[in-house]
Amino acid sequence: MHLVAPIAYLGFFAVAAVPLILYLLYRRRKRDVDWGATYILRRTLKREAKKSLWKQIAIIAVRTLAFIALPLVFLRPYLDWQPPAGGAFAAAPPSTHRLVLLDLSPSMGATHGSGGRLEAALGLCRKILEATHHPGRIDILPLDGGQEPIVHEQRPVSDIEIEQILGMLELSTVPADFEQGLRVALQQFRASHYPHKELILLSDFSAADLKHGGRFAGTVQALDKIGAKVFCLSYENRVADNFALLDMTPGMDLLLSGQPTIFYVRVGYYGSRPAAQTWLSIRNSSGELLIEQALSLAPGDKTFQVPLSLAGGEQTLTAALSDDDLAYDNRLERSYHVSDRLQLALVQNLDLREGFDNPSTWIKTAFAPQKAGGAETRSIFQLEHVREQAMLKGHDHLVKQTLNNTVQPEQYRTIVDAVVTSQASADFFKDKDGVILVDVDTVTEELEQALYKYVVRGGTLLLAPGPNADPDTFNQTLRRLLPAQLAPPAVEQIDPDIYQHAILEFAGNPILRELEALDHGNIGNTRFYNGYRIADNSMADKADVLFVLSDNAPLLLHRRIGRGSALLWTAGLGGEWHSMVVHPVYPVLVARLFNLAASQRRFALNLEPGAPIVRKTDSQTARISLPDGDEQTIRSVAVGSSRFVRFDHTQAPGTYTLYPYQGNREILFRYHVPQDRRESDYRPLGGQSRSELEQLIHSPLYHREADLVHAVGATYEGSSLASLAALALLLLLVLEVGLIRKWFT
Amino acid sequence: MTPQAANRQDQPLALLEPEVIERVRQLELFSRFRVEGFLGGSNRSPDQGSSSDFLRHRQYLPGDNPKYLDWRVYGRTERLFIREQEELTNTRLSVVLDVSNSMGYCDRSLSKHGFAIRIAAVLCYLAFGRQDTFSLTTFNTGKAHHVPFGSGRSHLLRVLHALVSAAPGNGTDFRHALGQSTAHIRRKGLTIVLSDFMDDAAPIARTLSRLRFEGSDVIAMGVFDPMERSLDFSSITRFHDLEDNQILVVDPQLIQNAYQREFDAHQQEIRQACHRYGFEYTALPVGDDYDVPLGAYLRHRMERFT
């Protein structure tokens, strides 16, 4: 039992002294009486001696209790709070504003003990809603970055309302935003007129949550200042064991049908074991199992190379891991354009040089068709071929896939059409995946216009001025397409003993990075004796350097123009200034560059959140199915002679299925917005992080509901005894009067 | 009692106020049992007499006086029966008065003693009016004073004078004093004991039972002050015992109920003890109209036993 304001005792004693003083001042003195019936008096005293003693003790006890009850009435004592029976939540006292911050991040979908974390959290929310007996307010705010809590001010909450509220609480696709949630809670509490404020935080408090949760120390301090009490219940698993499919990208952005391609599958393991195994399976659009293999991982993430060969068209691959505690990150869908072949246009001035003096010969040779069993026909593309064969040897499934998917087995998949500048036109470029401008330093205005239009619409142009090019003319003629202004070559006369090496400057793309690997040719081994320099401060907007020479001179530059890009190779594609033409990396480099560039000609199927879905169509309207199951109608827009549909609301992760032709649901295209997989790492906080968090929020992290209920209830005063004390005082006074009347009057 | 009467308290005749005499004149004081008197009177005698009061019929035995044969019965039944008649005589009234100090308690205009001597005076007056002989004995620790049996006006005055001159004093020794005070009563008569009976009921009744065994009719009149029963004091009180001067300090409020119950229980004990030995007990509360409770008792007695 507690007594509030013990200092009130002083006042109580002062008040209690008043009747004593009055008694002492006005007490009646003893009187003397001559008595004739002392015989009766003695008999009475003898008989009543013991009985009267007990009666007096009883009266004194009653008066003492009344004396004790009197201050209790004013000091408002209360009993310690007792936990409710049946696992119910602690009922809030009147005028309490209770706000529940509910973590609905994907990691809350993990199993927790015998059930799911979310089910446990919703069960607790139900108990909290049911434990509303007094006027007050209860808000439930999902920690998904939202601003508006689910508010309920009327109490008690009916069962139907509870079901409605709980029905609105579903797993989100974004990580928990503690900072935003606490800020909203602070705003709600500041606007609240209820004196008692409780903040209950239900989350798994994973390391990932707090890593990205931001800094909310200030918000917690502000909550402290306004008197809000913070309680946290953690739904963490002591032993977390989760695999997550983080990413799946192909080794080449432009996939060719029947061409074995390395897919880089990044898998994460977040657990307490030193190593764990899971199964990876990948299926294509028709559900056919492409590969299934066991993976062994240590904690952290690891990228696995999975060779696959896909059929032409747009293919959707579904990768899946074995079931584990957290299901949302075990599946990953990606769609890819798979082209039947790569078509390049080789444009150069009329060049009468023959053989390997002509740079086009090197390019044509590099992409010459590979005959079946082509050991007898030497191809400079042999390295890629050998690598492909090696891949086939190690993976039986690929042999079958390659044979099934190859459209033209007798011809390799890259076609090079060579024309002179006078024959080149916009129509010629229309179907080409890339255009190579070799040894051309000036073009007609029409050709420049055609090239510019081609690039803006997504084409890739590789500019490779030869040793005889005039930089000024080149800069003047192709100024709209150049990543940078060309300057004169480094040296006028080549010295065979002085050469440079190529170094990858732009390391962000793994495809280009492979070029430095031994089994991909090792571009670092090539020798560059000369090359054009880049004029100072002439880099265009959206231009960057992909390769540099060892003397830091740019070798390959890249510039985004519209949806396409222009590449500038400063050392010429012939053999005059470098040894790359006779090096195995030469066709690989060219192929990779065009693969990289050609993929940009098509609208992306795997989108970043918010990136638009664009698709060419002939129909006036199209339908799109959203990740949440809703469908919307999109009107197509005419652009030139074509019509396009565009859908911009792709913030929600998941698969968007576009039906470009109204009424024909057989033609469909899938677009994928990746889910945030930060929540996959739901390992519990370490001891230090936990204590830091507990210090930050000024509250321990409870693991059991009962502990939380007890912690919440421990802050309550419990049952007030004031009314009980008043009633007891009244009863005692009545009892005292009654006993006096019964015994002594 | 009027102030003038109070002033004349030391005068014997002051005990018998004319208005009181007028009210009690109609009352009858008689013994329930047969008494042995010398003169004719209104009380039944153990002897057969010639009064007109029929006593009983009994079979004629040889030697009986034939003049008492009831010839009417013989005419109807042809059997001889003697008709016996009651003998009426006067009674002997013994008034035994407690004059211990406890009788001196006074809460109002009359003390218990003053009340008791007036009652005794009235009783003697009633005996005087019926030509009965009467005596007065006072006692406290022993027999204090005795006026032997007598009758007539001068005897009444002597008794009244003795009453006036009797003053409360000493303690009370019921066993010894009552024995001494009633030792002179040898013939069947009526004995009235006036006291507050502040002692154990059994010894008192046992002492008086001797009179009853000898054939006397005994009436115990308990005199008490209403204040003695109610113990109506609101503060702690030092009670001085009138007989042995001991002091009892008591909070009357704490024991008032128990005291009243004890008082009533004592009265009841005396009543039951008296009834057990075959005589009556009546409690007379002290009041200014002292003849009222006495009159009520005598009327009630008359209704019961006549």
Side-chain angles (χ1 to χ4, degrees):
Chain A
M1 189 176 76
H2 303 277
L3 293 173
V4 295
I7 198 168
Y9 273 118
L10 297 175
F12 165 72
F13 284 132
V15 173
V18 173
L20 295 175
I21 294 170
L22 290 176
Y23 168 75
L24 293 173
L25 288 177
Y26 297 100
R27 65 174 176 163
R28 286 168 293 181
R29 307 294 177 185
K30 291 176 184 172
R31 57 183 293 187
D32 292 284
V33 172
D34 291 332
W35 193 247
T38 48
Y39 167 74
I40 305 294
L41 200 55
R42 285 195 179 94
R43 272 182 50 155
T44 305
L45 293 176
K46 185 178 179 184
R47 189 184 298 273
E48 291 292 316
K50 285 187 178 179
K51 199 186 294 183
S52 178
L53 177 63
W54 284 111
K55 287 178 180 176
Q56 289 182 53
I57 290 173
I59 293 294
I60 289 172
V62 170
R63 286 175 179 170
T64 305
L65 290 175
F67 189 77
I68 293 171
L70 182 63
L72 295 182
V73 172
F74 295 100
L75 296 178
R76 301 175 62 191
Y78 54 87
L79 285 175
D80 282 343
W81 177 84
Q82 296 296 318
F89 198 79
S95 300
T96 298
H97 186 172
R98 193 176 257 177
L99 195 147
V100 180
L101 289 183
L102 179 59
D103 182 359
L104 292 176
S105 62
S107 60
M108 284 294 283
T111 55
H112 177 72
S114 57
R117 293 176 174 180
L118 184 65
E119 285 76 12
L122 291 182
L124 183 58
C125 286
R126 178 189 297 278
K127 291 177 183 175
I128 292 173
L129 289 169
E130 287 172 345
T132 52
H133 306 305
H134 305 294
R137 174 171 162 170
I138 181 165
D139 299 339
I140 297 180
L141 176 65
L143 282 173
D144 57 0
Q147 296 278 350
E148 292 298 326
I150 301 168
V151 183
H152 202 287
E153 289 226 38
Q154 294 178 349
R155 297 185 174 190
V157 190
S158 68
D159 291 342
I160 296 175
E161 289 169 320
I162 290 176
E163 295 302 331
Q164 288 174 345
I165 292 171
L166 295 182
M168 289 188 276
L169 302 173
E170 293 177 342
L171 273 181
S172 166
T173 55
V174 296
D177 191 344
F178 285 90
E179 189 174 1
Q180 173 70 10
L182 288 169
R183 196 178 298 122
V184 173
L186 179 62
Q187 291 167 359
Q188 294 290 332
F189 280 151
R190 278 180 172 159
S192 171
H193 61 275
Y194 293 107
H196 307 295
K197 301 174 179 67
E198 282 178 12
L199 179 64
I200 300 172
L201 197 50
L202 307 180
S203 171
D204 52 5
F205 292 103
S206 63
D209 282 334
L210 295 168
K211 193 188 300 176
H212 304 283
R215 304 172 189 88
F216 42 81
T219 312
V220 173
Q221 285 180 353
L223 285 169
D224 256 0
K225 277 186 183 174
I226 63 172
K229 299 168 188 164
V230 181
F231 305 96
C232 302
L233 180 63
S234 175
Y235 290 100
E236 65 183 32
N237 292 21
R238 291 293 182 189
V239 180
D241 214 25
N242 182 44
F243 292 94
L245 266 172
L246 303 177
D247 197 10
M248 181 169 62
T249 55
M252 291 186 166
D253 279 341
L254 185 67
L255 301 177
L256 298 177
S257 61
Q259 172 183 277
T261 306
I262 295 289
F263 278 78
Y264 297 90
V265 180
R266 195 155 65 93
V267 181
Y269 169 62
Y270 311 101
S272 51
R273 290 181 288 171
Q277 286 77 38
T278 185
W279 279 89
L280 168 70
S281 62
I282 300 177
R283 295 175 184 274
N284 61 12
S285 304
S286 58
E288 181 187 354
L289 182 64
L290 299 180
I291 188 171
E292 186 172 30
Q293 69 178 80
L295 305 179
S296 181
L297 292 96
D301 59 272
K302 181 178 179 182
T303 301
F304 294 89
Q305 296 183 7
V306 179
L308 293 174
S309 178
L310 304 179
E314 289 191 356
Q315 294 288 335
T316 298
L317 296 186
T318 303
L321 296 176
S322 305
D323 292 339
D324 55 20
D325 289 346
L326 186 58
Y328 98 102
D329 56 5
N330 292 339
R331 198 163 176 275
L332 187 68
E333 280 193 348
R334 288 287 185 271
S335 292
Y336 306 100
H337 295 286
V338 181
S339 301
D340 289 333
R341 60 184 60 86
L342 176 66
Q343 292 189 343
L344 300 178
L346 185 64
V347 181
Q348 65 177 150
N349 291 327
L350 183 60
D351 193 341
L352 299 178
R353 289 177 295 178
E354 293 185 351
F356 288 104
D357 290 335
N358 192 332
S360 63
T361 306
W362 292 101
I363 296 172
K364 289 175 183 174
T365 306
F367 293 102
Q370 176 67 36
K371 296 284 177 58
E376 64 276 10
T377 305
R378 182 182 182 279
S379 169
I380 203 167
F381 198 65
Q382 188 180 7
L383 180 68
E384 193 75 358
H385 175 70
V386 169
R387 177 169 166 267
E388 179 181 322
Q389 292 300 316
M391 288 166 58
L392 292 173
K393 188 181 293 181
H395 301 86
D396 293 340
H397 69 281
L398 277 180
V399 178
K400 182 180 175 185
Q401 289 170 15
T402 304
L403 292 175
N404 289 343
N405 298 331
T406 301
V407 178
Q408 295 169 312
E410 74 285 355
Q411 186 184 22
Y412 207 70
R413 304 170 191 91
T414 303
I415 297 172
V416 180
D417 290 337
V419 293
V420 295
T421 51
S422 58
Q423 294 173 336
S425 65
D427 286 341
F428 178 72
F429 298 142
K430 189 176 180 181
D431 298 327
K432 298 297 184 288
D433 294 312
V435 175
I436 306 173
L437 216 58
V438 182
D439 286 358
V440 175
D441 59 353
T442 179
V443 293
T444 62
E445 192 173 339
E446 291 76 15
L447 181 56
E448 191 271 343
Q449 185 68 29
L451 288 170
Y452 185 76
K453 190 176 177 182
Y454 167 74
V455 171
V456 167
R457 290 184 176 178
T460 301
L461 173 65
L462 174 60
L463 300 167
N468 298 323
D470 177 17
D472 293 336
T473 308
F474 185 81
N475 293 338
Q476 183 64 31
T477 307
L478 299 166
R479 64 182 181 281
R480 290 198 297 172
L481 296 165
L482 288 178
Q485 297 286 319
L486 213 58
V491 295
E492 290 186 359
Q493 191 66 36
I494 291 175
D495 182 352
D497 296 329
I498 300 174
Y499 52 86
Q500 310 293 331
H501 299 291
I503 301 171
L504 179 64
E505 175 75 4
F506 179 73
N509 193 312
I511 302 172
L512 292 178
R513 199 164 58 232
E514 280 184 352
L515 295 173
E516 292 186 320
L518 285 176
D519 56 349
H520 288 75
N522 191 7
I523 196 172
N525 282 344
T526 56
R527 296 179 180 183
F528 289 85
Y529 301 97
N530 199 1
Y532 288 104
R533 291 293 189 254
I534 296 300
D536 294 339
N537 302 321
S538 64
M539 289 286 286
D541 289 341
K542 299 181 182 177
D544 45 27
V545 179
L546 300 183
F547 282 95
V548 294
L549 295 175
S550 48
D551 61 356
N552 214 25
L555 174 62
L556 181 63
L557 297 93
H558 171 263
R559 179 188 177 189
R560 293 282 297 176
I561 301 173
R563 292 197 294 114
S565 58
L567 297 162
L568 176 59
W569 180 262
T570 60
L573 288 176
E576 293 89 349
W577 283 353
H578 54 78
S579 65
M580 216 177 72
V581 290
V582 293
H583 200 277
V585 81
Y586 179 67
V588 179
L589 171 67
V590 176
R592 290 290 167 87
L593 288 176
F594 280 96
N595 265 330
L596 182 66
S599 64
Q600 297 168 355
R601 291 196 64 206
R602 300 179 185 274
F603 295 107
L605 298 177
N606 302 312
L607 309 168
E608 291 301 314
I613 292 173
V614 181
R615 170 68 66 173
K616 190 176 181 182
T617 181
D618 295 334
S619 177
Q620 293 288 327
T621 59
R623 299 281 293 173
I624 187 164
S625 173
L626 306 180
D628 59 5
D630 288 346
E631 278 201 6
Q632 290 186 14
T633 301
I634 314 170
R635 296 192 66 80
S636 64
V637 178
V639 179
S641 59
S642 303
R643 300 190 71 83
F644 291 87
V645 290
R646 177 181 175 122
F647 183 73
D648 289 304
H649 307 293
T650 57
Q651 283 78 14
T655 299
Y656 295 77
T657 307
L658 178 68
Y659 304 94
Y661 301 103
Q662 187 81 1
N664 183 359
R665 297 183 74 88
E666 292 182 357
I667 302 176
L668 55 90
F669 300 99
R670 290 194 176 91
Y671 296 83
H672 307 283
V673 175
Q675 275 186 318
D676 194 318
R677 294 290 162 92
R678 287 177 295 183
E679 290 283 315
S680 297
D681 184 4
Y682 67 82
R683 285 175 291 185
L685 293 174
Q688 186 176 355
S689 302
R690 171 182 300 278
S691 53
E692 285 175 0
L693 178 64
E694 288 177 343
Q695 286 178 0
L696 186 64
I697 60 179
H698 304 157
S699 167
L701 292 183
Y702 299 103
H703 299 285
R704 299 190 310 130
E705 272 187 24
D707 294 341
L708 176 73
V709 172
H710 198 272
V712 172
T715 63
Y716 296 158
E717 290 185 349
S719 306
S720 173
L721 293 180
S723 55
L724 200 61
L727 180 63
L729 177 63
L730 182 64
L731 290 176
L732 288 168
L733 292 176
V734 170
L735 180 63
E736 197 261 358
V737 172
L739 290 178
I740 291 290
R741 288 178 64 87
K742 178 177 173 59
W743 289 341
F744 303 122
T745 60
Chain B
M1 188 173 68
T2 61
Q4 291 78 10
N7 292 334
R8 295 196 307 267
Q9 195 168 348
D10 53 343
Q11 300 298 317
L13 288 179
L15 298 177
L16 294 174
E17 296 176 26
E19 53 270 30
V20 175
I21 296 298
E22 190 63 29
R23 284 198 295 270
V24 302
R25 189 186 299 276
Q26 308 302 325
L27 301 178
E28 286 195 28
L29 185 63
F30 60 91
S31 170
R32 291 180 294 159
F33 311 108
R34 296 178 189 278
V35 298
E36 295 171 341
F38 290 108
L39 302 175
S42 57
N43 292 280
R44 290 175 298 170
S45 170
D47 303 327
Q48 295 174 29
S50 56
S51 71
S52 58
D53 293 342
F54 171 74
L55 179 62
R56 63 178 177 262
H57 281 102
R58 68 173 175 83
Q59 196 168 7
Y60 172 78
L61 298 173
D64 287 340
N65 192 344
K67 77 174 182 180
Y68 295 116
L69 283 171
D70 193 335
W71 297 109
R72 289 180 182 172
V73 174
Y74 179 78
R76 288 198 297 271
T77 64
E78 293 184 349
R79 294 173 66 181
L80 291 174
F81 283 92
I82 294 295
R83 178 186 177 85
E84 292 184 344
Q85 303 291 123
E86 287 275 14
E87 172 72 14
L88 297 179
T89 183
N90 65 341
T91 187
R92 292 162 63 88
L93 172 64
S94 299
V95 177
V96 181
L97 178 63
D98 180 2
V99 290
S100 65
N101 265 337
S102 64
M103 292 293 283
Y105 176 73
C106 180
D107 181 59
R108 44 194 75 196
S109 55
L110 276 181
S111 66
K112 288 196 287 183
H113 175 75
F115 182 82
I117 61 172
R118 279 163 177 76
I119 294 292
V122 170
L123 292 172
C124 290
Y125 177 78
L126 289 176
F128 162 73
R130 293 169 59 90
Q131 308 300 318
D132 293 335
T133 60
F134 50 93
S135 69
L136 171 68
T137 306
T138 60
F139 69 95
N140 39 44
T141 54
K143 185 165 77 175
H145 186 69
H146 177 63
V147 179
F149 285 103
S151 61
R153 187 176 185 83
S154 60
H155 183 70
L156 176 62
L157 285 173
R158 193 161 55 245
V159 169
L160 293 181
H161 183 76
L163 288 175
V164 169
S165 58
N170 299 327
T172 311
D173 184 353
F174 279 96
R175 296 178 193 177
H176 178 64
L178 264 184
Q180 282 188 345
S181 302
T182 57
H184 65 281
I185 303 171
R186 298 296 182 189
R187 302 178 66 179
K188 296 177 182 174
L190 175 61
T191 302
I192 296 177
V193 181
L194 284 164
S195 172
D196 54 7
F197 296 110
M198 287 299 161
D199 204 343
D200 294 344
I204 296 173
R206 202 176 302 121
T207 304
L208 293 177
S209 66
R210 183 190 65 81
L211 300 174
R212 180 65 194 90
F213 292 154
E214 291 177 355
S216 288
D217 190 6
V218 180
I219 299 174
M221 290 186 172
V223 179
F224 70 93
D225 193 296
M227 187 65 175
E228 287 182 321
R229 184 187 177 280
S230 63
L231 196 73
D232 190 11
F233 298 99
S234 57
S235 62
I236 296 175
T237 307
R238 275 194 286 264
F239 291 96
H240 295 263
D241 192 328
L242 287 172
E243 296 187 354
D244 57 12
N245 289 327
Q246 285 188 350
I247 296 174
L248 297 175
V249 181
V250 174
D251 184 351
Q253 287 186 334
L254 295 180
I255 60 164
Q256 191 174 24
N257 278 350
Y259 175 87
Q260 289 174 358
R261 285 195 301 273
E262 197 65 39
F263 191 93
D264 293 341
H266 180 251
Q267 293 284 321
Q268 188 65 19
E269 286 173 14
I270 293 178
R271 190 184 313 277
Q272 288 177 350
C274 292
H275 288 175
R276 191 180 307 123
Y277 290 107
F279 51 88
E280 293 177 74
Y281 173 82
T282 183
L284 300 176
V286 174
D288 289 341
D289 297 327
Y290 53 89
D291 59 315
V292 174
L294 179 64
Y297 168 70
L298 292 179
R299 268 189 293 274
H300 173 69
R301 189 168 185 270
M302 197 161 57
E303 289 168 2
R304 282 183 62 193
F305 301 117
T306 59

